[in-house]
Every structure is written in C-alpha cells, then in structure tokens.
Amino acid sequence: DAGVIQSPRHEVTEMGQEVTLRCKPISGHNSLFWYRQTMMRGLELLIYFNNNVPIDDSGMPEDRFSAKMPNASFSTLKIQPSEPRDSAVYFCASSLLGFEQYFGPGTRLTVT
Amino acid sequence: EDQVTQSPEALRLQEGESSSLNCSYTVSGLRGLFWYRQDPGKGPEFLFTLYSAGEEKEKERLKATLTKKESFLHITAPKPEDSATYLCAVQVSGNTPLVFGKGTRLSVIA
C-alpha cells in the first residue's frame, strides 16, 4: 500500500492568497483526520470525517478554514485568505474502524 | 478536558544507555494509548497501541507499558538510529481523534 498521500509537500504563498491542501487516505480506511503541527502547540486536530461525513470541526481555527471529503479516496483542506500565523505543517491521517491512525508525510505551509 | 503530558521534553543518551520516556494522561475514559515515532520532516509513524492497564508491547529495543495514569516507553541499549521525537496520544472512544502530547525529543550519541 502506498500509505497516506498528501500534496503538495511544500507550499509557500503570500498573505491573502488561497491555499488548498490535498489528501488521499489509505484505501479501505473509513476515517480521515486533518491535524496541524507547530513547535508551540504540537499536534492539534482540525477536523475529522467518518465515512466521508464531517463529524467534528471544532478545531478549525476560524471561517477561513474549510475541509471537504467528496469521496472515500480524497479530501481537501482550504485556507482562504491565508495569514502568516497559518504557517505550520499540516498532516492528514486515516484509520480503519477507529484503530491506529496512519499519517501522511505532511504539507509544510509558509505564508509570507 | 483530556490532557497528555510527556516528559522529559528532550533526552540525550549515549549509545547503549537505557532509559524511559514518560506519558501521563488525564482523560474521561481511555479506549487506547498510542505511541508514535516522528523523524524530522516526516509524519508520525505508528509504533504501539495499549488498551488496558498492565499491558506491555515490544518492538526491537522498545517496550511500552501502561498503568491507569501513565505509560512508559522503555528504550534498551539504544542506537543512534533511535534518535527521533516520540509522541504519545490517547483516544477516548472509537473512530475519534487522538489527543497528543508534545513529545520527547530523543538524541542517541555514538
């Protein structure tokens, strides 16, 4: 299995621009999680989906963040407009039936 | 609020010098406790899941144990390639997110 796939691996953008991060979970997994990692706050959950349905988005910082999962094999996290404080590493993870979560390689986002 | 605290924040060991990392947790109910390893520039890599107090799991030089309030990751005779950040996380119920600690950054010096 190829594991969780994320793209792009690195993104540098200017403040105010729209950013879209993409994730392909492991085939057959039914839960998908978006996390953000910073030095100060560690790994924090943004949103998660079960069977393509958003369950809890209370971790999404504000309305500038949105996430979708149109089918079992694809999810996006969008930031519009982006701000410098959004700079972080964003991880996608997937799991089967609530057991261990497998993480992708992450997207390092830099907003200047 | 569910909380996970890891100590120490950083640990420097000589090759072959065994030690333990601590993960203490406060949760409303524990379904599972997870250990991950994270190398620089990579995503967390799953190591172990522990489900009940008294449970132990081993993998090469690593052994994880669980009590009702904390978990330990014991590293026996570490090698430089064991250098990484080790993350602990708890899950309260199935199909729910993990709550992570901030990790212990381990350096093993040859």
Side-chain angles (χ1 to χ4, degrees):
Chain A
D1 198 319
V4 176
I5 298 173
Q6 291 187 246
S7 65
R9 293 295 313 278
H10 302 273
E11 178 80 43
V12 180
T13 190
E14 292 184 347
M15 184 174 63
Q17 296 298 306
E18 178 179 296
V19 175
T20 299
L21 312 182
R22 297 173 176 80
C23 175
K24 177 179 169 56
I26 293 172
S27 177
H29 281 191
N30 66 328
S31 294
L32 183 140
F33 306 82
W34 282 101
Y35 292 90
R36 179 170 68 176
Q37 187 175 42
T38 61
M39 289 293 292
M40 289 294 294
R41 300 176 68 88
L43 265 170
E44 297 178 296
L45 177 78
L46 297 175
I47 185 172
Y48 77 100
F49 298 82
N50 284 342
N51 299 312
N52 311 338
V53 177
I55 303 300
D56 184 356
D57 66 354
S58 60
M60 298 284 257
E62 45 199 271
D63 292 345
R64 298 185 296 107
F65 285 67
S66 62
K68 294 182 179 180
M69 192 165 186
N71 57 62
S73 59
F74 184 65
S75 178
T76 59
L77 177 67
K78 186 176 294 186
I79 308 173
Q80 165 64 18
S82 58
E83 296 183 1
R85 59 187 167 136
D86 301 330
S87 298
V89 182
Y90 291 81
F91 288 104
C92 174
S94 69
S95 72
L96 175 63
L97 300 178
F99 292 103
E100 58 270 10
Q101 296 178 14
Y102 292 89
F103 283 74
T107 296
R108 181 173 296 276
L109 174 65
T110 303
V111 183
T112 61
Chain B
E1 182 182 341
D2 300 327
Q3 285 191 322
V4 178
T5 303
Q6 292 189 246
S7 61
E9 289 186 15
L11 181 62
R12 185 182 173 99
L13 299 174
Q14 291 294 124
E15 184 172 3
E17 180 186 2
S18 301
S19 187
S20 296
L21 312 183
N22 177 263
C23 170
S24 62
Y25 58 90
T26 305
V27 294
S28 53
L30 182 70
R31 177 180 183 268
L33 185 140
F34 300 78
W35 281 99
Y36 285 81
R37 168 189 172 131
Q38 186 174 23
D39 292 296
K42 297 189 176 181
E45 174 190 348
F46 171 73
L47 293 174
F48 304 109
T49 310
L50 301 167
Y51 291 105
S52 57
E55 188 175 1
E56 298 183 352
K57 288 197 175 169
E58 289 189 63
K59 180 180 181 178
E60 296 181 357
R61 294 176 293 282
L62 301 177
K63 183 169 80 172
T65 61
L66 180 65
T67 72
K68 289 186 177 180
K69 294 184 177 180
E70 58 192 348
S71 176
F72 292 93
L73 184 65
H74 306 278
I75 303 176
T76 302
K79 298 182 177 181
E81 53 262 42
D82 295 322
S83 298
T85 296
Y86 290 85
L87 297 165
C88 170
V90 297
Q91 186 181 43
V92 175
S93 60
N95 274 1
T96 58
L98 304 181
V99 177
F100 281 86
K102 292 194 174 179
T104 293
R105 191 169 62 255
L106 175 66
S107 301
V108 182
I109 311 303

